[in-house]
Amino acid sequence: MFLNTFNQGLTFKRFKNSLPSLSRSLLNHCRFNTSVISINILNKRRALPHVLSKPFILNNNNHNVIKQNIEKKGIITSNVISQLYKKNLTGLVVFTSGAGYIMSAGPFFDLITFSAVISGTGLASGCAGTFNQIIERKYDADMSRTANRPLVNGDITVTQAKLIGWISGITGISILTLLTTPLTGLLGLITILLYTHVYTPLKRVTRFNTEI
C-alpha cells in the first residue's frame, strides 16, 4: 500500500512538472493553425476578383437551356394562338353555332356552309379574345388565373398579337359574309365590337357587364 501511494505521488509530480511544456505545445499548435487559416483567407480574397470577373454559368447544358428559352420568345406557336383565342370559350361558341346551323338547316344541310359557319365563328371569336387580352394585359398580370397568358409572359409582342387579331377578324368576317349570309357576317362583327369595346371595359366598372 505504501508503494502504491509513493508511485501515485511520483506520477502526479511528473505530470505537474510537464504542464508548462504541454501548455507551450498547445499554444504553438494554436498559433500555427491560426496562421494557416489567415493565409487561406488572404489567398481567397486575392482570388475573388478573378472569380467575379468570370461569367456565372453553372454548366454548358444550363447555358444552352437558358439560350433556347430566350430564343423562343416572340415565336408564334399553336399554343400561343390557342391561348390568345381562349380555346375553351371559342370551342363552346363554335359548338353552339354549329349546332344552331344543323338544327336550322334541317334537310337543306350543306357541308360547305356548315364549315364556313364554324370556321368563321371560330376566327371571329379568336379575334375578340385576342384583343381582349391586348386591352387587359396589365390587369392580367395581377391575377393568378391570367398571369400565364402569352402577353403577360412576354411570349409574343403586342404588335404580333394585334396582327393575329386583325387577320383572324378580317378572315372570319369575310368567310361568314361571303360563304353564309351578309347578316351573319354583320352579327359576327357586332359581336367582336361588343366584346372588346363594351364587355371588356365594363368588367372594371360593374359586375353586370355580362348582362349588359
Side-chain angles (χ1 to χ4, degrees):
M1 185 175 179
F2 174 77
L3 290 174
N4 288 336
T5 304
F6 177 77
N7 289 332
Q8 289 177 1
L10 184 61
T11 303
F12 177 76
K13 185 176 181 181
R14 288 176 178 172
F15 175 73
K16 184 178 179 181
N17 292 333
S18 65
L19 279 178
S21 59
L22 285 172
S23 300
R24 284 194 299 272
S25 299
L26 271 172
L27 183 61
N28 290 332
H29 181 70
C30 291
R31 285 175 178 172
F32 175 76
N33 286 339
T34 304
S35 300
V36 171
I37 293 171
S38 300
I39 291 171
N40 288 335
I41 292 174
L42 182 60
N43 290 334
K44 287 180 180 180
R45 285 180 177 176
R46 289 173 179 172
L48 189 60
H50 301 286
V51 174
L52 294 177
S53 63
K54 297 179 180 179
F56 182 73
I57 300 174
L58 295 179
N59 53 56
N60 291 331
N61 293 332
N62 290 338
H63 176 66
N64 292 333
V65 169
I66 294 170
K67 185 177 179 181
Q68 290 173 3
N69 289 335
I70 293 172
E71 290 176 349
K72 286 181 180 178
K73 299 291 185 181
I75 297 177
I76 300 174
T77 63
S78 58
N79 183 52
V80 168
I81 293 176
S82 66
Q83 291 184 67
L84 288 175
Y85 274 29
K86 298 184 177 181
K87 58 181 180 180
N88 294 333
L89 179 60
T90 297
L92 181 61
V93 171
V94 169
F95 174 79
T96 54
S97 63
Y101 172 78
I102 292 173
M103 290 187 292
S104 63
F108 303 100
F109 176 84
D110 181 69
L111 183 59
I112 295 177
T113 305
F114 174 74
S115 301
V117 168
I118 60 175
S119 60
T121 302
L123 289 168
S125 176
C127 168
T130 299
F131 279 106
N132 168 265
Q133 292 185 49
I134 293 172
I135 295 169
E136 294 198 314
R137 62 187 183 277
K138 295 180 180 179
Y139 304 101
D140 288 343
D142 297 330
M143 296 186 292
S144 58
R145 181 177 63 85
T146 57
N148 290 323
R149 286 180 173 176
L151 286 170
V152 178
N153 284 336
D155 295 332
I156 59 171
T157 64
V158 176
T159 303
Q160 289 174 318
K162 287 180 179 179
L163 181 64
I164 293 172
W166 278 111
I167 292 175
S168 300
I170 293 172
T171 306
I173 298 303
S174 299
I175 290 173
L176 292 174
T177 303
L178 299 175
L179 298 180
T180 60
T181 63
L183 178 60
T184 307
L186 178 62
L187 290 174
L189 177 60
I190 292 173
T191 302
I192 293 174
L193 294 175
L194 285 175
Y195 192 83
T196 56
H197 290 79
V198 178
Y199 167 78
T200 299
L202 286 178
K203 286 170 68 175
R204 291 178 297 278
V205 177
T206 175
R207 62 188 181 91
F208 296 106
N209 63 315
T210 304
E211 289 78 2
I212 295 173

